[in-house]
Amino acid sequence: MRIALLTVLLGLTSAVGAQKFHGLAQTPPMGWNSWNKFACNVSDSLVRSMADAMVSSGMKDAGYTYIIMDDCWHGTRDSLGFIRPNPVHFPNGIKALADYIHSKGLQFGIYSCAGNKTCAGHPGSRGHEYQDAVTYASWGVDYLKYDWCNTDGLSARGAYTTMRDALQTAGRPVVFSLCEWGTSKPWEWAGDVGHLWRTTGDIYNTFEGEVSHGDWSSWGVMAILDQQKGLEKYAGPGHWNDPDMLEVGNGMPVNEDRAHFSMWCMLAAPLIAGNDLGRMSRETRQILLNREVIAIDQDPLGIQGFQFDGPDDSLQVFAKPLTGGDLAVCFLNRNREPFSLTYDWKEKVIINEGTGTHLNLAASTYRIKNLWTGSDDGTTAAPLSAVIPGRDVLLLRLTRQPAN
Ligand code: GLA
């Protein structure tokens, strides 16, 4: 009898533990994160001002929800091991900051690390997972980005599962963002652990390139894009591949920013802006706030786009099936020179095993909308002719015409 009871209790405990919060991140999370632009210069006033700008710029209305404070907010642990923020930069404490963000109708995200120390050397959560999860819940945290520095000898799956269980036990629903850089292929095991997982090392604000930092590299936008190939089968509502945060507005030319944003939307990537929201150029605003492009990313089917064609090495063609039989098609010109394109839709068959896509474009005719110019560009009955500028995209939404 006792053994049976114990078994039931243990079963219950593990059943409770073996859960992430379901129903969150049904479309890729959208928000802002401090790291790409501000690195360790986070403070109460900076984060509040970004929340203000999220609202005044129209980004909140366009769907951006999370204000995420990355590394370096930390002070020390108290005598009982509870983490405290840096007292100089966060004189009001974190709960007051979270309350302010909530008062704007936004949600609040924070950063920690599975190791003893964060990547910037602040206290990590190792050995304090349950204590930190309870602390975050008491502060009103809605989103946790959980990094992977200083984790020698740890199993990624074990460490992330521990934090998932800690969050679940603390009881406040939290979007759990795994930042393990793809080393242990989290897409293969993290579907019931987190809501998104990084697939690569860090992004930096360049179109093409890799910068080595010794035992790790940061990557340009195209290098990150190339590392997403084949991962489309692992993405869907509640569980997303994360090719890292956006560099839009951080110094690349507008055409490169537009290509970067378009491709992240094609990938159903989390759209986490990484720029100074208080000082956006008109071009940056036009990119981050294009609702029809955002709608590609946020399409409720949650299918991650994939390359299906490329008439030339320099030009790649991506597709993303959308609700209602619509289709996003993105022509990406990776070279610096313009590309003159003639594209006969009726000859194209889109096949992708990972997403179960098999679409013969000869079978239907679609109306074409150019999502960056907003123009209606005819139908797929005739071949498409276009010149795509260097390092830019032609991003189209195809809507199936009713059969006669
Ligand atoms: C790692 C992560 C980055 C950022 C920094 C903070 O490099 O991949 O996104 O969070 O740590 O130190």
Side-chain angles (χ1 to χ4, degrees), residues 29-31 59 62 64 203 207 221-222 225 243 245-249 252-275 283-298 330 332 371-372 391-393 395:
M30 293 175 66
M59 286 183 67
Y64 296 85
I203 195 169
F207 195 70
V221 170
M222 289 297 106
L225 172 66
M245 303 170 293
L246 296 166
E247 289 284 13
V248 174
M252 287 188 287
V254 61
N255 52 309
E256 296 179 11
D257 271 355
R258 183 165 45 235
H260 169 31
F261 192 74
S262 303
M263 288 315 307
W264 262 230
C265 290
M266 289 298 289
L267 292 171
L271 296 181
I272 309 294
N275 58 315
E283 287 85 358
T284 297
R285 266 175 225 269
Q286 281 172 349
I287 291 172
L288 290 176
L289 286 164
N290 185 317
R291 290 184 185 229
E292 289 187 296
V293 178
I294 293 172
I296 302 298
D297 181 79
Q298 295 289 301
C330 190
L332 169 66
L371 298 186
W372 286 116
R391 294 190 164 181
D392 209 332
V393 290
L395 178 60

Side-chain angles (χ1 to χ4, degrees), residues 180-200:
E180 177 273 359
W181 318 310
T183 316
S184 73
K185 303 190 173 166
W187 45 89
E188 288 181 352
W189 54 260
D192 64 357
V193 177
H195 303 91
L196 59 159
W197 45 81
R198 281 272 298 278
T199 54
T200 68

Side-chain angles (χ1 to χ4, degrees), residues 81-100:
F82 287 98
I83 187 70
R84 297 172 299 194
N86 178 308
V88 176
H89 297 145
F90 297 91
N92 309 313
I94 302 294
K95 181 164 191 317
L97 178 58
D99 287 348
Y100 182 78

Side-chain angles (χ1 to χ4, degrees), residues 29-80:
M30 293 175 66
W32 172 87
N33 174 300
S34 52
W35 183 255
N36 283 356
K37 176 71 184 175
F38 297 100
C40 270
N41 298 317
V42 286
S43 65
D44 180 276
S45 58
L46 174 89
V47 177
R48 283 179 196 238
S49 72
M50 290 302 128
D52 293 345
M54 183 89 108
V55 177
S56 63
S57 64
M59 286 183 67
K60 179 189 166 206
D61 287 344
Y64 296 85
T65 305
Y66 293 98
I67 294 282
I68 304 159
M69 184 165 69
D70 209 281
D71 207 345
C72 304
W73 58 266
H74 319 70
T76 53
R77 292 192 180 276
D78 70 12
S79 60
L80 296 175

Side-chain angles (χ1 to χ4, degrees), residues 72-260:
C72 304
W73 58 266
H74 319 70
T76 53
R77 292 192 180 276
D78 70 12
S79 60
L80 296 175
F82 287 98
I83 187 70
R84 297 172 299 194
N86 178 308
V88 176
H89 297 145
F90 297 91
N92 309 313
I94 302 294
K95 181 164 191 317
L97 178 58
D99 287 348
Y100 182 78
I101 289 166
H102 291 146
S103 78
K104 299 264 154 187
L106 299 168
Q107 295 198 284
F108 176 57
I110 210 164
Y111 162 100
S112 189
C113 182
N116 299 319
K117 289 189 171 191
T118 71
C119 294
H122 296 280
S125 288
R126 186 167 182 188
H128 293 275
E129 292 88 351
Y130 279 74
Q131 201 172 16
D132 286 353
V134 166
T135 302
Y136 301 154
S138 75
W139 287 345
V141 167
D142 307 298
Y143 183 114
L144 175 65
K145 172 176 170 182
Y146 202 52
D147 215 340
W148 191 240
C149 281
N150 306 302
T151 52
D152 284 354
L154 280 188
S155 134
R157 186 170 187 169
Y160 282 98
T161 301
T162 300
M163 193 39 130
R164 174 202 70 184
D165 292 351
L167 293 169
Q168 181 67 230
T169 305
R172 182 179 171 95
V174 169
V175 170
F176 190 30
S177 158
L178 280 57
C179 180
E180 177 273 359
W181 318 310
T183 316
S184 73
K185 303 190 173 166
W187 45 89
E188 288 181 352
W189 54 260
D192 64 357
V193 177
H195 303 91
L196 59 159
W197 45 81
R198 281 272 298 278
T199 54
T200 68
D202 290 3
I203 195 169
Y204 77 109
N205 58 341
T206 196
F207 195 70
E208 202 70 84
E210 175 186 351
V211 174
S212 170
H213 306 274
D215 54 356
W216 63 285
S217 287
S218 357
W219 305 89
V221 170
M222 289 297 106
I224 292 205
L225 172 66
D226 291 341
Q227 294 174 70
Q228 309 313 307
K229 194 173 177 155
L231 300 188
E232 57 272 8
K233 75 186 253 204
Y234 301 101
H239 51 97
W240 308 102
N241 292 307
D242 176 7
D244 207 357
M245 303 170 293
L246 296 166
E247 289 284 13
V248 174
N250 279 343
M252 287 188 287
V254 61
N255 52 309
E256 296 179 11
D257 271 355
R258 183 165 45 235
H260 169 31

